Amino acid sequence: MPRPEALDLTRRVLKHLEDDSLDTVEDVCREPREAFTDPEWFDRELATLRRVPHVIGWAGEVAAPGSFTTKDVMGVPVLVVRGKDDLVRAFVNGCAHRGAQVAADCGTTKMFTCPYHNWSYGLDGRLVGAPARRMFAGALDGRGLTPLPISDEAGLLVVGLNPDVDVTRALGEIAEPLSHYDFDVRQHAETRRFVIAANWKLAVGVNFEGYHFPYVHPDTLDPIATNNSVCDVYGRHNRWAFPFRGIANFRDSPESDWPEQFFGTVVYGLFPSCVLIEAPASYQMLRVYPGRAPGECVIHMTYGAPSPITTDQEREWYRMSMDAVCNVLCNQDFPMAEACQRGLEGGVPEVLFGRNEPMLHHLVAVWRQAVHETVAAVRAG
């Protein structure tokens, strides 16, 4: 029997296939070039991104006590660990002595040790050892790793980059459909980092419309998928689903015989810049952040696994799967985002989103509102 989400999406997609249609909105949307090129606009965005919660991983990455993972979030080194008390904690991944990173990659440990001067920390972030402690004349009392707010809502790790960020119920209404996945046991397979010459919003946007499939993906996505897509909005978050062409074969089958998982790709946009891509036997998370200027962004692409990877054969399968994902995104989608950036920097006055790109309308609207709230908060002091 299909999951409730798969049942709903399949019904809607089959209706679109019958009508040769897709979910649309009533009007077009325009965004000025300054949103992608202007330094002052960019600074307001950076300030906004530091004020909001960020989804950075799956809770399964730190499923057992002593397991940890490290992430780069907007340039902030973040360490997430599950303690002996089974609580998940997050810290700035920086030693309380000089700031050097006390952990790298992911794994399991009993304590964290700085490679610079061998200061060591417990899983709760407390300083438990420092060579030549007497040389610091009591300055080590209460010293430890700098904590960050974190939650593991719906099996996803949500972190704030400063103590004032409220991460409770950051997912809101979208937590319910997300809770049907296996994020609480989802494992890390591989992460690759890319820096591309495009505004971060352009890099996010390539994941939320199928209008470009026949032109950008003629030999990859277009032969297997259609743009008879459906979309849903959950406050600041969204969901976009497009089917594989073979879904039409289920039209005359009883719903009880439909696949358990939606026969296509479901893409979640988790505000502000996390993209979850769920497809049969394929699990990806893209975290997109601004780079050093409006025309640059950093992308962390992670491939997940439903269970621990233990054999060389499994590792090779995930490596090949990641290569296939990179072929689509890095060799087809991201070059288009970079081309758009060059045009905007060259003088194209605005970006136009059509009625057939509803998720891009939503991304623009929620981001405008978030920046407006940041500007208002700054002015209010």
Side-chain angles (χ1 to χ4, degrees), residues 133-184:
R133 191 182 187 102
R134 66 184 185 280
M135 296 296 174
F136 291 87
L140 303 187
D141 294 343
R143 206 166 185 87
L145 299 177
T146 302
L148 295 172
I150 190 168
S151 72
D152 59 354
E153 186 179 5
L156 293 170
L157 301 173
V158 186
V159 72
L161 297 182
N162 67 70
D164 299 327
V165 177
D166 182 4
V167 298
T168 60
R169 290 196 51 78
L171 297 177
E173 297 174 7
I174 207 168
E176 197 283 326
L178 290 173
S179 68
H180 297 292
Y181 292 92
D182 61 353
F183 299 149
D184 57 338

Side-chain angles (χ1 to χ4, degrees), residues 3 5 9 156 174-181 183 204 207-208 232 234 237-241 265-271 273-278 284 286 363:
R3 299 173 183 171
E5 174 196 66
L9 294 176
L156 293 170
I174 207 168
E176 197 283 326
L178 290 173
S179 68
H180 297 292
Y181 292 92
F183 299 149
V204 171
N207 299 282
F208 289 101
D232 299 283
Y234 302 86
H237 313 293
N238 62 51
R239 180 180 68 187
W240 179 63
T265 299
V266 184
V267 185
Y268 288 92
L270 304 180
F271 181 88
S273 61
C274 178
V275 180
L276 284 182
I277 304 174
E278 295 288 318
Q284 303 147 47
L286 276 68
L363 292 172

Side-chain angles (χ1 to χ4, degrees), residues 23-356:
D23 283 3
T24 60
V25 289
E26 294 183 357
D27 204 352
V28 299
C29 172
R30 294 175 170 86
E31 186 78 332
R33 66 183 293 271
E34 287 78 13
F36 307 91
T37 63
D38 181 66
E40 292 186 6
W41 197 303
F42 182 66
D43 288 342
R44 291 194 293 270
E45 292 188 333
L46 292 179
T48 303
L49 287 163
R50 295 186 184 105
R51 289 166 45 92
V52 298
H54 292 265
V55 173
I56 64 168
W58 298 294
E61 298 181 62
V62 288
S67 57
F68 72 92
T69 186
T70 59
K71 309 286 183 178
D72 180 284
V73 186
M74 289 276 297
V76 177
V78 174
L79 169 62
V80 180
V81 59
R82 188 175 293 274
K84 295 178 182 178
D85 53 6
D86 206 38
L87 293 179
V88 175
R89 296 178 175 85
F91 306 96
V92 176
N93 186 9
C95 180
H97 180 210
R98 292 278 211 283
Q101 280 62 74
V102 301
D105 300 322
C106 57
T108 58
T109 189
K110 294 181 178 179
M111 68 174 59
F112 300 102
T113 301
C114 177
Y116 196 178
H117 296 92
N118 215 48
W119 287 28
S120 56
Y121 303 85
L123 301 181
D124 59 2
R126 290 186 296 178
L127 181 68
V128 296
R133 191 182 187 102
R134 66 184 185 280
M135 296 296 174
F136 291 87
L140 303 187
D141 294 343
R143 206 166 185 87
L145 299 177
T146 302
L148 295 172
I150 190 168
S151 72
D152 59 354
E153 186 179 5
L156 293 170
L157 301 173
V158 186
V159 72
L161 297 182
N162 67 70
D164 299 327
V165 177
D166 182 4
V167 298
T168 60
R169 290 196 51 78
L171 297 177
E173 297 174 7
I174 207 168
E176 197 283 326
L178 290 173
S179 68
H180 297 292
Y181 292 92
D182 61 353
F183 299 149
D184 57 338
V185 296
R186 183 75 56 85
Q187 303 289 308
H188 175 274
E190 183 181 355
T191 295
R192 299 182 189 179
R193 179 182 183 272
F194 304 93
V195 178
I196 70 170
N199 185 269
W200 67 278
K201 298 187 296 298
L202 293 174
V204 171
V206 301
N207 299 282
F208 289 101
E209 54 89 2
Y211 183 30
H212 70 285
F213 283 1
Y215 320 110
V216 180
H217 307 300
D219 59 346
T220 52
L221 278 180
D222 192 57
I224 63 172
T226 81
N227 191 28
N228 300 104
S229 53
V230 296
C231 55
D232 299 283
V233 168
Y234 302 86
R236 286 182 165 181
H237 313 293
N238 62 51
R239 180 180 68 187
W240 179 63
F242 61 88
F244 297 148
R245 294 185 182 275
I247 201 171
N249 296 329
F250 301 117
R251 185 180 287 129
D252 298 323
S253 301
E255 292 185 353
S256 58
D257 291 343
W258 290 357
E260 180 183 2
Q261 188 173 352
F262 175 67
F263 193 67
T265 299
V266 184
V267 185
Y268 288 92
L270 304 180
F271 181 88
S273 61
C274 178
V275 180
L276 284 182
I277 304 174
E278 295 288 318
S282 180
Y283 324 97
Q284 303 147 47
M285 177 182 291
L286 276 68
R287 297 183 293 115
V288 184
Y289 306 119
R292 296 165 296 180
E296 180 184 274
C297 68
V298 178
I299 302 160
H300 302 270
M301 186 186 304
T302 300
Y303 209 100
S307 58
I309 302 169
T310 59
T311 68
D312 290 340
Q313 184 178 7
E314 289 175 327
R315 294 185 188 94
E316 178 64 12
W317 188 91
Y318 282 105
R319 185 194 66 77
M320 293 175 61
S321 297
M322 182 65 120
D323 287 345
V325 171
C326 289
N327 179 46
V328 174
L329 284 169
C330 301
N331 297 332
Q332 297 180 331
D333 281 317
F334 293 157
M336 288 296 98
E338 292 180 320
C340 293
Q341 186 69 34
R342 287 193 296 272
L344 291 163
E345 291 177 354
V348 172
E350 66 179 9
V351 172
L352 180 66
F353 301 114
R355 295 180 54 245
N356 57 343

